[in-house]
């Protein structure tokens, strides 16, 4: 299994952990504590599992609402065409 170029051996299949480790070792960046996060960053962040989950749920929700709006709009458009031709 390939490993990361940093000191800690991390499988490349966990890309998020690799990025976190590279930031920590090469750039000296640490993840902020959950207490320091304020505003929307408290709920939508990539540092905590809850923040990641919220990002995924928001993305799926936006896609679902977009698809529902499209299909509803498409149906009303078809009904309008049927009524105009009859």
């Amino acid at each position: 299994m390939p490993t990361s170029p940093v000191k800690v051996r991390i499988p490349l299949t966990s890309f998020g952990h690799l990025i976190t480790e590279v930031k920590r070792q090469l750039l000296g960046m640490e993840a902020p504590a959950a207490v320091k996060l304020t505003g929307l960053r408290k709920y939508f962040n990539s540092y905590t599992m809850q923040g990641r989950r919220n990002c995924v749920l928001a993305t799926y929700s936006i896609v679902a609402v977009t698809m529902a709006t499209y299909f509803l709009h498409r149906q009303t458009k078809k009904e309008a065409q049927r009524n105009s031709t009859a």
Side-chain angles (χ1 to χ4, degrees):
M1 178 183 288
T3 57
S4 67
V6 294
K7 295 175 187 172
V8 177
R9 296 188 68 160
I10 300 173
L12 286 178
T13 55
S14 59
F15 188 71
H17 293 291
L18 174 67
I19 296 299
T20 303
E21 195 62 33
V22 168
K23 282 181 181 178
R24 188 176 69 76
Q25 288 186 12
L26 299 180
L27 304 175
M29 297 171 65
E30 291 289 332
V35 177
K36 292 182 181 178
L37 298 173
T38 59
L40 284 178
R41 293 190 74 192
K42 183 176 181 180
Y43 304 106
F44 299 98
N45 61 63
S46 61
Y47 301 113
T48 62
M49 290 303 289
Q50 183 180 5
R52 291 177 189 174
R53 183 199 61 162
N54 289 341
C55 290
V56 168
L57 291 176
T59 302
Y60 285 161
S61 300
I62 289 171
V63 169
V65 167
T66 303
M67 287 176 56
T69 304
Y70 171 75
F71 285 120
L72 289 174
H73 181 67
R74 189 177 81 172
Q75 287 177 352
T76 57
K77 202 175 199 180
K78 286 182 181 179
E79 289 174 5
Q81 285 178 348
R82 285 184 201 154
N83 292 337
S84 66
T85 59

